[in-house]
Amino acid sequence: MATAHSLNSTLRSFIERQPMFFVATADVAGRVNVSPKGMETLRVVDDTHVRWLNLSGSGNETAAHVQTTGRMTLMFCAFEGPAMILRLYGQAKVWHPRDEHWQSLLADFPDIAGSRQVFDLSIDLVQTSCGTGVPLMDFKANRADVELVPFYEKMGEDGVRDYWRRKNMLTIDGKPTGIFDEL
């Protein structure tokens, strides 16, 4: 296991090759949340800073956790090629479509129906480990391209906002996610 306080060109290249990553967050009390992410929604801004576009889903735990603690860990696993696990630890901020910087943040990402938040992670620790326990798997396609994105495209913008009201306003622990200004 090796640690550092920033990325380097080797780790940046590793991140860019990964078709998926995992995000972990927790509030001061309640459940820890771990979610898989993908679809080219992550951008390395510099060696101590990454952003990722969060798409709508059945829950919204990450936003609530980041609002209260700011703590976030991203994990990347090599499912192909040489074994490695990379974790990025740090403090995050969440940006919503109502926020002033939303449009400028979106400029770095593809236009994807159901885009819900942008998370901005300031890295304070980078950790690599061997990853020899991670299985070798072949990447075939992004499931989201054929299932998730068409689902939200069909809903349209108003339908997505209605979905957020029904499914994304509270965490599974009953805490507000901040998806809208009001609860």
Side-chain angles (χ1 to χ4, degrees):
M1 181 172 5
T3 61
H5 294 288
S6 63
L7 297 170
N8 58 37
S9 60
T10 300
L11 297 177
R12 287 175 75 145
S13 178
F14 174 75
I15 289 170
E16 291 167 2
R17 290 190 312 269
Q18 302 315 304
M20 71 177 295
F21 62 98
F22 299 87
V23 60
T25 57
D27 201 338
V28 293
R31 291 165 180 83
V32 174
N33 186 63
V34 179
S35 297
K37 304 294 177 185
M39 288 191 59
E40 306 216 14
T41 56
L42 185 120
R43 299 292 182 264
V44 177
V45 177
D46 59 42
D47 287 346
T48 60
H49 189 191
V50 297
R51 285 190 189 121
W52 60 276
L53 178 65
N54 191 29
L55 305 178
S56 296
S58 56
N60 197 10
E61 309 300 302
T62 304
H65 295 168
V66 165
Q67 288 179 137
T68 57
T69 69
R71 295 179 304 154
M72 179 181 284
T73 301
L74 300 183
M75 184 177 77
F76 304 83
C77 299
F79 295 106
E80 299 176 315
M84 182 164 65
I85 296 172
L86 169 65
R87 291 179 184 89
L88 308 179
Y89 299 90
Q91 291 292 306
K93 294 179 183 175
V94 58
W95 300 95
H96 297 91
R98 68 174 178 274
D99 294 327
E100 178 183 341
H101 300 291
W102 177 253
Q103 288 302 321
S104 63
L105 291 168
L106 277 188
D108 292 335
F109 299 100
D111 183 21
I112 302 174
S115 295
R116 181 172 63 185
Q117 290 113 354
V118 171
F119 288 92
D120 196 290
L121 177 66
S122 293
I123 301 165
D124 57 42
L125 184 68
V126 174
Q127 178 193 57
T128 58
S129 56
C130 68
T132 56
V134 175
L136 285 169
M137 296 188 287
D138 293 326
F139 176 74
K140 292 182 181 180
N142 280 312
R143 182 174 292 157
D145 288 334
V146 295
E147 293 179 25
L148 184 77
V149 173
F151 178 75
Y152 291 113
E153 285 174 342
K154 186 176 179 182
M155 266 187 204
E157 202 170 306
D158 290 339
V160 168
R161 289 189 180 281
D162 181 56
Y163 181 87
W164 291 348
R165 286 197 188 285
R166 289 184 287 113
K167 302 253 186 195
N168 291 173
M169 290 185 64
L170 296 174
T171 69
I172 56 176
D173 292 320
K175 300 205 174 155
T177 66
I179 190 77
F180 296 107
D181 283 333
E182 80 284 354
L183 176 61

